[in-house]
Amino acid sequence: MSQPTFTLACSDDTAVQFLTYSQTCNLPYRQALGKILSRQTSQQQLATITAILMTVPQLDDALAEITTFAYGHVMENELWQSAFQSPAAFNTHIHFEERVEPLLRRHESNTRKKNNLRRDIEARWEAGLDSIIPSSILPPNLGQHLLYDLKRLAGICPDPQIAREHIKLAIEQRLDEDDGTRGTKRKCLTRADLKAAAISYQQRLMSPSAHARGIQLRHETGPSLQVRQQQNSPPPMMSPPSSVATPMQMSVDTASSSPSEPDTPPEIHPTRKLRSKTARPVQGCRCSEEKKRLILALPQNRSRLTPEQGVEILRRVEQSESSWNGICHDHLRLIASTTLGLKTSYSGSSHDSLIERARFCLQHADNIAEVRRRRYEWFAAPIQNNAVRASLGMAKYDWKPLKMPSIVPQEIFERFASRNDWKSYMTDGTVNIDGIFDYILDDAELESYVQQEFAMYQWHYHEKGNSGKNLGWQRNMWFSLIQQITRQDLPYYALMVAARPDNNHRLISFPYYTKNTSREGESTGFRHMDLNIRKFVETGAGANIVQGALSILEENRDNCTILVKGFHRVAKQWYRDVSARGHRFNDDTTNITDAVYNAADKAKYGKLVPVPCNKGGIRITRPEIIHGATPKAVGRRQAVFNWWVGIRPNHQDLDNAGPKNETWSDLSQHHRDHTAPKGTTSGRSANAYSTGKDFPATVHLPWISNIGDALQGKQRWDSPAVVLELQKLFGPDDEVAYQFIREVHKRTVSAYKIAFPQVVELEKALFGRKSYFLCQEQGWDGPDADGSDASDIDSEGDGSGSESSDAAIALGIQAEEEASEEDDGDSEDVEEEEMGPQDEESDSEDEYMETQ
C-alpha cells in the first residue's frame, strides 16, 4: 500500500497537520519530516519549519522531538540565510527563548530519561529492545510511559521470549474485540497491552492451568482478558469464604499442586511503581524453591494480611524443611511487612534481627494484639494497638490539659472592684470603677510618658485631613504605648469578662483611636447606641460587645460621657415604641436624634445624664445603653477605648462575625503590624477616619503576660501558658490573683520605661526637622503640614530652608530658625462625615442642658 502524499499548509495548525501525516504513514517524526522537506526548495523548507516552530508550543510534550529536529535542520543547513540576516534574527522571529528553547530542553531531558529506561529494559532482558519486540507492533515513537510499563514487565518476567508471547497474546485479544475501524495504528503496542501481559504472566506463575486457558484466547472472541480473569478468580484473599481455600492452605510440598491454589495472583497495582525490595519477582533471587511458593502467595502490592493469615504464613515458614534459611533479605522484608506489619527499616535492623522479631511474634501468636501494644515500636504506626503511643509519636510523656476555671461574675467584681460596683452595673447597665490604672497615672514619670505620647500624636495629626467633624477624637493614635498597656491590663480584662452577658473569656482588642479634646469649646456632642437596635432585639446581635473606657484625666460633669442609666432593661420595649412611630433602623449603629428619642421617651425611659470618671478609673457600659458625650469641651479630656470583642469557639470568628467583618487572624495581623483595621466592632467601615498612612513611630511593648499576648492576638487562648495564667486570675484564691497582678504590673512599668525612649528615638529618625520630640528639645515651632502652601520643609530651590537645618541637626549644632506658621486646624469648613460608632453629633444641646 503506497503512503499518501502530503502538502504542508503553513497555518495555525501546521504542526497538527504534520503529526497527522506522520501517524497516518506510521513513520517516525524525523523520517516523516525529512520526507516532506526533501520535496521542497530551501525557501519552502524554511517556511514549513518556521510554521512548525511557531505553532508547536500549543501541542503536547511529544512535539519536543519535532522541534529539536526542525530547529537543528535549520541551523545545520543554514536555511535561515534565505530570509534572515543572522541566526539571532531568525531566533527572534520564532520567539526562540519563550517558545522553542524550553522544548529543546524538554526533549533533551525526555531523551535522557527514555535512554535510561531503554538501557534498564535491555539489561534485564539481556537483549536489544528491537530484537525482543517485533518492529511490526513497536510504536515508531516510544513514549516515556510505555517504556516505564515495559520496564515493569521486564522486572516481573525476566525471560524476554515469554514476555513477547504474553504481549502478542494481549494484542491479539484486544484486536479480536476491536471492530477494525481504527486503522493500522491499533496494531501497535499500547500500555493496556503491557498491563494485560503482566497479569497474564502472573496468572501463569500461579497456575499452569490458567495459562493454558489463556492460550485458548488466541482462537476465541468474547469477554476481554480482564473480565475473563475476574470470572476465573477466587474472592479476595483478605476475606475468603469458608468454601474457598486461602493462600495459607497451599501445601509447602513443591512436588504437589493442590486444587485449592488460586488461579490468579494477588492484584498488581496498574500504575504504581513496584518496589524491588518488597515486591521483587522470585525469578533470579536466591530464595529456595519451597520458599518461592510461599512468597508467591503473598500480596505483591504489599497489602497487609489479617493477623490469622499472617501467623499461618509465618508458621509454615518456621515448619518448612530449611526453616528461615533460604530466604533472601528482600523477600524476608516482604514476609515481615505483609504478614504482621513488622517494620523492616529501623535502627540496628538486620536479617537476623528481623527473623528474631518474626519468631517472637510466632511464639506469642495467641496474643498478637498484646504484642503489638507492648512492642509497638516493632510495628507500623496504624497497627501498633497503642493509642497513647500513636498519639504521642516522638514525645515520651503525655500531658494533661489545663482546665479553664469557672467564671463567677459577682466574685470577679468583688475581687477587682467592689460589691457596690457589681450592684450598680446590674442596676444601671454602667459603672465607673476607680483606681484601676493608678499604678501608671500616679507615677509622675509614667504619667509624663502618657502626656508626651498624646502630645506627639496631636502634633502629627492634620485635622483638615479628616473628612468630617473631629468631635475630640485623636484619629491617628492607634498603637501608642499607653493603648498597648490598657489593652492587656488584667484587672480591667477580668471585669470586662464578668460584665459580658456570655462571660466569654476569649477576647481580643479591636484597635481603636483615642479621645483627646485639644481646644476649649470644641464640639464633642453625639448620642447613639453601639449596635443596631433592630438586629439586637430580633437576634441578640451585638449584646456582648460591652464598651469600656479609661479616663486619663479627671473628668467633670461638663466634659464627660452622658447616658441613660438602666436603659438595658427597657431597650426592647423602647424599640417597639419607636418602631410603631415608623422609625426603621438599618445602619450598623443606632443614631439617637431628638425624633428617635423624643420627649415622651425621655419621660418614660429616662434622660441622658453625665457620668464623669476619675483619673485612672474605667467606665464599663452595656452596648444597648443610649450614650454620648457632652456637647462642648470645657477643658482637656483624654480617654482610651479597648473595644474587647469575643472570639467564637473556632478561634476565628468574632462577636460581630459576618462576610464584611474582620476575623481573629485579621486583628492579630493588625496588632502585629500596627495597622488600622478596616472596620469597627459594629461592622461599620472605618474608611472615613482611618485614611492616609499609618503612623510609623510605634514600638511594640516588651512582653508582659501570656494573657496580654492573647488579648492582642499574639497567642491563642487554648495555649497552655495562657490557661495557666487564667487559672491564677480567675481561680478561687484571691491572694494568688493579687500576687499575679502585682508581678504583671511590675513588668508593665518596666516595659513602659524601656519602650518609651525607643519611641522618642524612632520618631526623631523618621521625621527629622518635623519631629515632635526634636522640636520640643530645640524649642522650635512646628513646620506647616506637608503639601500645604506655607510648607517650605520639602521645597526645592530656595536654598535656605531644610538643607541648612538638616545639616545643623546632623552636626548636633543648636540652630535657630524662623518658625513656620502653625496650621490652625480650623474645621469649620469641613463637611460632616458619615457617623461612626462614637461620632454621631446630637441634633441639639437641649438634651444635655436638661440634666444640669
Side-chain angles (χ1 to χ4, degrees):
M1 179 178 178
S2 60
Q3 294 180 347
T5 58
F6 181 67
T7 303
L8 197 64
C10 297
S11 63
D12 290 339
D13 63 343
T14 302
V16 177
Q17 296 177 47
F18 169 72
L19 280 180
T20 303
Y21 171 76
S22 174
Q23 293 169 357
T24 302
C25 298
N26 199 24
L27 292 173
Y29 296 135
R30 183 185 183 95
Q31 184 177 347
L33 184 59
K35 189 170 184 177
I36 294 171
L37 297 177
S38 65
R39 297 192 294 267
Q40 295 180 336
T41 65
S42 297
Q43 190 171 2
Q44 290 173 334
Q45 291 181 38
L46 178 62
T48 299
I49 293 175
T50 300
I52 292 176
L53 293 177
M54 295 186 70
T55 60
V56 74
Q58 305 171 20
L59 303 178
D60 188 73
D61 290 348
L63 296 180
E65 183 177 350
I66 306 173
T67 307
T68 301
F69 171 72
Y71 184 77
H73 183 82
V74 171
M75 293 300 146
E76 291 174 6
N77 296 280
E78 298 184 345
L79 301 180
W80 51 268
Q81 292 183 350
S82 62
F84 300 95
Q85 295 182 354
S86 66
F90 172 68
N91 287 344
T92 301
H93 178 69
I94 62 173
H95 304 285
F96 176 80
E97 292 184 357
E98 299 87 357
R99 300 180 179 180
V100 179
E101 188 176 23
L103 292 173
L104 300 183
R105 293 177 179 175
R106 186 187 308 166
H107 174 68
E108 182 182 1
S109 175
N110 291 345
T111 301
R112 182 171 59 253
K113 291 177 182 178
K114 289 195 288 187
N115 289 340
N116 291 338
L117 288 169
R118 190 162 186 147
R119 281 195 296 268
D120 290 343
I121 296 168
E122 294 175 347
R124 292 188 179 190
W125 277 337
E126 298 181 352
L129 187 60
D130 296 336
S131 64
I132 300 169
I133 309 298
S135 59
S136 59
I137 63 173
L138 195 66
N141 301 294
L142 285 174
Q144 286 188 60
H145 295 297
L146 192 70
L147 288 171
Y148 273 127
D149 290 334
L150 273 171
K151 181 179 177 180
R152 292 192 187 105
L153 181 61
I156 296 171
C157 179
D159 189 328
Q161 301 305 320
I162 295 176
R164 180 166 57 183
E165 178 184 349
H166 285 275
I167 290 173
K168 288 183 177 180
L169 174 65
I171 293 176
E172 291 177 7
Q173 172 62 22
R174 173 171 55 79
L175 292 177
D176 285 341
E177 299 171 0
D178 198 351
D179 58 8
T181 60
R182 299 191 182 184
T184 57
K185 176 187 173 184
R186 294 289 293 165
K187 295 181 181 179
C188 292
L189 182 65
T190 67
R191 297 185 68 192
D193 297 332
L194 293 174
K195 292 168 186 175
I199 295 174
S200 174
Y201 175 73
Q202 287 288 344
Q203 183 181 29
R204 175 183 177 181
L205 287 179
M206 295 297 295
S207 174
S209 60
H211 177 65
R213 287 195 301 273
I215 297 297
Q216 295 176 4
L217 294 175
R218 297 171 185 263
H219 312 290
E220 295 180 3
T221 60
S224 68
L225 179 62
Q226 290 81 356
V227 173
R228 187 172 293 278
Q229 288 166 348
Q230 294 174 4
Q231 294 172 343
N232 296 329
S233 299
M237 181 173 60
M238 294 301 294
S239 56
S242 58
S243 61
V244 180
T246 68
M248 297 177 299
Q249 296 170 320
M250 293 172 54
S251 172
V252 181
D253 184 1
T254 59
S256 63
S257 178
S258 171
S260 64
E261 293 176 350
D263 289 340
T264 58
E267 179 187 359
I268 297 178
H269 196 288
T271 59
R272 178 177 174 183
K273 183 178 179 180
L274 301 178
R275 294 179 58 186
S276 61
K277 64 174 66 176
T278 55
R280 188 174 181 176
V282 295
Q283 286 74 17
C285 74
R286 55 185 180 83
C287 294
S288 63
E289 290 300 321
E290 61 177 344
K291 298 301 188 297
K292 288 180 180 180
R293 291 189 62 80
L294 281 172
I295 292 165
L296 288 173
L298 297 174
Q300 295 294 295
N301 63 354
R302 301 177 66 204
S303 61
R304 193 174 297 116
L305 301 175
T306 64
E308 295 77 13
Q309 292 172 331
V311 167
E312 182 63 22
I313 291 289
L314 294 181
R315 183 173 287 118
R316 292 191 177 277
V317 173
E318 181 75 21
Q319 294 174 356
S320 63
E321 181 178 350
S322 57
S323 187
W324 291 91
N325 296 323
I327 302 178
C328 71
H329 188 63
D330 283 349
H331 286 125
L332 175 63
R333 297 180 70 183
L334 178 64
I335 291 173
S337 63
T338 56
T339 55
L340 293 178
L342 287 166
K343 291 181 180 178
T344 59
S345 296
Y346 51 88
S347 178
S349 63
S350 67
H351 194 83
D352 293 339
S353 68
L354 205 53
I355 292 176
E356 287 179 9
R357 292 187 174 187
R359 281 180 164 168
F360 181 88
C361 293
L362 195 56
Q363 291 171 8
H364 300 85
D366 295 337
N367 203 356
I368 288 297
E370 185 65 16
V371 173
R372 285 177 171 174
R373 190 184 71 80
R374 294 193 178 188
R375 301 297 178 93
Y376 59 88
E377 72 276 10
W378 287 8
F379 299 90
I383 59 169
Q384 288 181 353
N385 195 33
N386 192 322
V388 174
R389 289 311 323 160
S391 64
L392 291 178
M394 292 185 290
K396 188 175 182 180
Y397 305 113
D398 198 2
W399 52 277
K400 180 174 63 176
L402 300 176
K403 293 184 178 180
M404 174 63 197
S406 300
I407 303 293
V408 184
Q410 183 173 345
E411 292 181 0
I412 294 173
F413 260 78
E414 292 176 358
R415 174 178 292 177
F416 298 112
S418 70
R419 180 171 299 182
N420 289 334
D421 290 330
W422 170 251
K423 291 180 180 179
S424 297
Y425 182 69
M426 296 303 293
T427 302
D428 299 335
T430 185
V431 64
N432 289 0
I433 302 174
D434 295 336
I436 298 297
F437 283 90
D438 286 351
Y439 75 102
I440 295 291
L441 299 177
D442 282 353
D443 184 306
E445 180 182 3
L446 300 184
E447 184 184 23
S448 71
Y449 291 171
V450 174
Q451 291 304 317
Q452 288 181 76
E453 285 198 277
F454 270 91
M456 176 187 70
Y457 281 96
Q458 181 63 36
W459 173 277
H460 287 283
Y461 182 55
H462 186 49
E463 191 170 317
K464 291 183 178 180
N466 177 31
S467 61
K469 295 183 178 180
N470 190 52
L471 300 176
W473 298 110
Q474 191 68 61
R475 291 194 173 102
N476 64 335
M477 188 173 180
W478 295 82
F479 295 97
S480 66
L481 295 177
I482 186 57
Q483 287 172 288
Q484 294 180 53
I485 290 173
T486 308
R487 286 165 182 161
Q488 52 186 314
D489 185 79
L490 299 186
Y492 192 3
Y493 156 71
L495 290 167
M496 291 294 286
V497 171
R500 289 173 59 95
D502 65 353
N503 301 136
N504 184 3
H505 72 278
R506 298 183 305 271
L507 306 182
I508 185 171
S509 175
F510 208 110
Y512 202 71
Y513 43 75
T514 63
K515 173 76 74 172
N516 185 23
T517 58
S518 57
R519 297 192 310 274
E520 189 76 20
E522 181 179 4
S523 177
T524 57
F526 67 90
R527 293 174 299 171
H528 77 165
M529 301 170 75
D530 287 315
L531 47 69
N532 177 288
I533 186 62
R534 176 181 57 81
K535 294 179 180 178
F536 167 75
V537 172
E538 294 175 355
T539 66
N544 292 303
I545 306 179
V546 177
Q547 186 194 85
L550 158 66
S551 181
I552 300 296
L553 302 174
E554 197 76 20
E555 296 181 349
N556 57 60
R557 293 176 60 86
D558 297 320
N559 199 24
C560 65
T561 295
I562 57 175
L563 51 78
V564 180
K565 290 186 177 182
F567 195 76
H568 64 295
R569 292 182 278 108
V570 298
K572 294 183 178 180
Q573 179 59 48
W574 170 77
Y575 170 71
R576 288 189 284 270
D577 292 347
V578 74
S579 297
R581 299 200 299 262
H583 292 284
R584 298 293 180 265
F585 304 95
N586 297 313
D587 292 336
D588 295 299
T589 58
T590 304
N591 191 25
I592 304 299
T593 64
D594 287 337
V596 171
Y597 197 68
N598 59 25
D601 294 329
K602 297 168 190 174
K604 183 176 180 179
Y605 299 114
K607 300 177 181 179
L608 281 86
V609 298
V611 285
C613 193
N614 293 327
K615 173 183 175 182
I618 60 173
R619 175 180 55 82
I620 299 176
T621 305
R622 292 179 64 114
E624 64 268 43
I625 297 284
I626 294 177
H627 67 279
T630 50
K632 298 291 183 180
V634 294
R636 294 190 65 84
R637 182 187 173 203
Q638 295 173 341
V640 176
F641 302 86
N642 281 356
W643 284 114
W644 281 311
V645 294
I647 305 167
R648 299 191 180 186
N650 63 7
H651 217 286
Q652 276 298 316
D653 294 330
L654 307 178
D655 284 330
N656 60 343
K660 68 177 183 178
N661 297 330
E662 295 180 279
T663 64
W664 175 84
S665 294
D666 296 325
L667 296 190
S668 176
Q669 183 174 340
H670 289 310
H671 283 288
R672 183 197 69 195
D673 300 339
H674 283 183
T675 55
K678 299 177 182 178
T680 66
T681 56
S682 64
R684 181 184 291 272
S685 171
N687 291 338
Y689 41 87
S690 63
T691 57
K693 296 182 177 179
D694 292 306
F695 186 70
T698 60
V699 172
H700 283 277
L701 202 69
W703 178 82
I704 293 176
S705 70
N706 295 310
I707 294 178
D709 281 354
L711 288 167
Q712 299 174 94
K714 298 177 181 179
Q715 292 192 53
R716 288 174 56 95
W717 282 102
D718 51 12
S719 165
V722 175
V723 178
L724 181 61
E725 291 188 351
L726 289 171
Q727 289 181 339
K728 298 177 183 178
L729 186 66
F730 293 117
D733 194 323
D734 288 350
E735 187 51 41
V736 170
Y738 294 150
Q739 179 59 31
F740 176 47
I741 296 297
R742 285 192 289 267
E743 293 172 358
V744 172
H745 281 181
K746 183 178 180 180
R747 287 197 292 269
T748 303
V749 171
S750 177
Y752 203 177
K753 292 181 178 180
I754 291 172
F756 182 75
Q758 297 175 357
V759 171
V760 174
E761 181 182 14
L762 181 60
E763 194 264 352
K764 289 180 179 179
L766 289 170
F767 292 98
R769 172 64 179 81
K770 309 164 194 173
S771 162
Y772 164 77
F773 290 107
L774 182 63
C775 289
Q776 293 299 305
E777 290 174 2
Q778 301 297 332
W780 298 334
D781 292 334
D784 287 282
D786 287 349
S788 63
D789 293 340
S791 175
D792 62 353
I793 295 298
D794 294 324
S795 61
E796 298 180 2
D798 75 39
S800 61
S802 61
E803 294 183 7
S804 60
S805 299
D806 289 343
I809 294 169
L811 295 172
I813 301 174
Q814 298 246 342
E816 297 225 350
E817 296 183 353
E818 182 178 352
S820 301
E821 214 177 273
E822 184 178 0
D823 180 17
D824 61 5
D826 187 6
S827 60
E828 292 179 358
D829 297 331
V830 180
E831 295 183 2
E832 184 174 356
E833 66 173 333
E834 180 185 2
M835 295 300 183
Q838 297 181 349
D839 296 357
E840 296 86 342
E841 186 175 18
S842 174
D843 292 341
S844 71
E845 300 179 10
D846 295 341
E847 177 66 33
Y848 168 71
M849 297 305 295
E850 291 176 0
T851 68
Q852 304 305 303

